[in-house]
Amino acid sequence: MSMNKTRMNGDDLKAIGYAEGKVIRMVLDIIENNYASQEKEEVLNLFKQVVLHPEQFLDHAVLKHIAQTLIEDTQGAETDRIPLKETGINYAVFGADYIEAGAVKQMEIAMKLPVAVAGALMPDAHQGYGLPIGGVLATKNAIIPYGVGVDIGCRMALSIYDIPAEYFLANEAMYKRELIAWTSFGAGNGWNGKDRAAHAVLDDAAFNMTPFIKNLQDKAAHQLGSSGGGNHFVEFGIIEFKTDDVKLNIKKGTYVALLTHSGSRGFGATVAGNYTRLAKEICKLPNEAANLAYLDMNRAEGQEYWLAMNLAGDYASACHEIIHERLTKAIGGQILAKVENHHNFAWKEMLNGEEVIVHRKGATPAAEGVMGIIPGSMTAPGFLVRGKGEAAAIHSASHGAGRQMSRTQAIKNISKEEMRKILKDHGVTLIGAGLDEAPMAYKNIERVMAAQKQLVDVVATFTPKLVRMAADGSRED
């Protein structure tokens, strides 16, 4: 670490591409508070990347506000804006008492889009970029990159083993060893050499559709079978079925289970950034709706994003498949049942007799009979659920408990001692994670589940025991 603090001024920032205005002051404040001990050249290189590619930093814990400001500034003051509807379409809200005002405001703006057909807000909803996290939006012949989200195809995957709970408790050290050996977390991380995974998804012809996508294939190969930062995890726990489940063919009892949460890694994040920028260039909306810029599905750009989104979803699924295969082989269990569901995605579905594009940004598909997993936090239970197909929710449910503290608030307000105590009290062993992922940063999952009883039936309850997350906390690709 350098002994001299980094000294920076506006001229330094202008020299790397920053325009005169509020963003320079923002950058200088962030450098002073977060990067003052680093070498000046290193800091300049970082912030040059931010000004050149702001869309790649929208999920960065420290730099996301600068990235957002830079993107908004590029919107300019054009007069050829696409107007919003004067009155938004009505939409259903589940668990309104637990949803922050910012998320509601974002949803109300989304419902004024000229392409909006229907919407719903899940009980874990909180403010995001464009569509709130926990927002469901159906559109007519249009796809919204930020309605899908930065981590395209992020999903949950659950493997239930024929291993009794008692065996896990007696052999936790072995499970911990294998969990560390066969998982890789965080921005840029992946697998090298003999540890690289093979999967048919890397041979998908969609990688050849454009030079932009083709150039991401090597990154995808490197990160295949790895997990992201932030709230992504791989964990062993105990799942309890209070009654026999005929459809899954699982008897009443408790079993060891593996639960994973991650998405399409750097590949998906780069795709999201590219097509968000493209959508904003084509679809100029009023400033308050700029992040809801959409692509027409009748145009080449819309079709191209659709193919790229589906490729990213398949890639995310492949990452989970590899993690589960490796850990299943390592622990020697037989799988009784597997369940996987995704969010941060868009589907073509029928609604009121017409085909629509349903965006679920942090919402679980919950059509009648569809299985899903809704996690709590690292110390709160998660739930294996079966959808009821509630039309008012556009066949959706929450994708988790949802945050009640921002990452910044959590880091400021939660101490390491508090984190250690709650983990100890719940008998959870944690590998990695930052204070921004502390259980107290999340809503009460029991309240969230109570608010969506008409959306899903609970099939089984999962209790985390051994959790691995990125050691650098919220940092992502």
Side-chain angles (χ1 to χ4, degrees), residues 117-170:
V117 174
L121 204 53
M122 300 298 105
D124 62 336
H126 54 99
Q127 190 168 340
Y129 288 107
L131 195 65
I133 297 159
V136 182
L137 180 66
T139 58
K140 182 64 177 174
N141 212 41
I143 183 81
I144 305 170
Y146 263 177
V148 169
V150 174
D151 191 12
I152 300 171
C154 187
R155 64 193 56 222
M156 307 295 306
L158 175 74
S159 289
I160 303 168
Y161 298 104
D162 64 341
I163 302 173
E166 296 77 12
Y167 184 84
F168 170 84
L169 298 174

Side-chain angles (χ1 to χ4, degrees), residues 27-43:
V27 172
L28 291 174
D29 286 344
I30 284 178
I31 289 173
E32 183 178 349
N33 292 325
N34 298 274
Y35 298 95
S37 63
Q38 296 186 24
E39 296 291 343
K40 183 173 182 178
E41 183 178 357
E42 180 185 353
V43 175

